[in-house]
Amino acid sequence: MIIGGNKERVIANIRQAAESRDYHAKVEVDDPQLTAEQRSALVEKYLRRRSSAAYHIKNRAARTIVDAVTRSQNRSTEIVGLENIRGITGGAIITSNHFDPLDNTVIRTLVKRTGRKRLYVVSQETNLAMTGLIGFLMNYTDIIPISPSAKYMQDSFPGILKSLLDNGQFVLIYPEQEMWFRYRKPRPPKRGAYYYAAKLGVPVISCFVEMRDEERLDNEAFHKVKNILHVLPVVAPDLNKSARENSIQMMEQDYKQKKEAYEAAYGEKLSYAFQDSDIAGWIPHSCNISAEKKG
């Protein structure tokens, strides 16, 4: 299922960002554009309602919908390496490549396989401004917003994260930060996910999703893809090191594992020189970006 508008513009943005080595650039073209005041208001509203009875009722309804979508979207999804996390009994942070609005359903499939019922997802607070069904799900399906607000990130966010992890929950944090649609390659991560894992003393479940093109079409511009989730060795903090030292070491180890998983899956060395095949399932047309690039 492809969600969103003009993917040609998005792919052009991915090409430009990859060639500029700006691996955390925003490439989507239809994301909500909000002022600082509006973003702060979204976070304040989130904090007010998350303990209300109405929130919990809507949360159950939203999770029911997401569970149905997860089953529908992942009928053919394969999971490799599940044995790597069988020893985890407490909370953990999950990291994965971010390539689709529904890629969290791949991770939800993994979480269900472990016998757990819920997955919490860290997401930009601007997603709470979405409308319609997507907006409802963003607001009520165990989303934990992040924000430029220093007060929120210093006071509220760590407390929410700690409470969930202390209660044995899994939390998905995308260390690549921005979503790059159908982009096959793992991008260099940001350090935040590993810092919180180190500070709170929990392991990182390292994941990489491989995408294989299918013959079936999703639309005129894309083939459908099959997802193969590679669950890689767990990355754990060293109790003898500081949170900063751990976060750097854990980040480097996780990226190394994702890079090796990519190279094994696709049979080629990881390079960020852009090529059309970097976008899974894409069918470049005669008037496509590549033709325009060649001019």
Side-chain angles (χ1 to χ4, degrees), residues 211-228:
M211 290 171 275
R212 291 185 183 173
D213 297 2
E214 296 185 342
E215 290 296 326
R216 297 179 300 154
L217 292 179
D218 215 330
N219 60 29
E220 64 177 9
F222 290 92
H223 288 278
K224 289 183 177 293
V225 299
K226 176 179 179 177
N227 294 318
I228 302 174

Side-chain angles (χ1 to χ4, degrees), residues 233-293:
V234 170
V235 180
D238 183 338
L239 297 180
N240 296 315
K241 294 183 177 179
S242 68
R244 184 178 187 280
E245 291 171 326
N246 265 316
S247 65
I248 294 171
Q249 182 177 355
M250 294 169 74
M251 177 182 68
E252 291 174 347
Q253 179 62 31
D254 192 26
Y255 179 52
K256 179 176 180 288
Q257 292 182 177
K258 286 175 168 58
K259 177 181 176 181
E260 290 172 349
Y262 168 86
E263 293 176 345
Y266 296 109
E268 63 180 27
K269 290 289 184 182
L270 178 61
S271 164
Y272 293 108
F274 186 88
Q275 51 190 347
D276 290 347
S277 60
D278 288 349
I279 309 300
W282 186 36
I283 308 168
H285 298 296
S286 58
C287 58
N288 67 14
I289 296 163
S290 295
E292 292 171 2
K293 181 89 174 171

Side-chain angles (χ1 to χ4, degrees), residues 6 8 20 26 30 45-46 56 63 91 96 112 134 143 150 178 180 241 265 293:
N6 189 340
E8 295 284 323
S20 302
K26 181 179 285 294
D30 297 318
K45 184 177 180 181
Y46 162 81
H56 291 291
R63 284 193 286 122
S96 186
K112 295 290 186 181
I134 298 298
I143 296 295
E178 295 291 342
W180 284 17
K241 294 183 177 179
K293 181 89 174 171

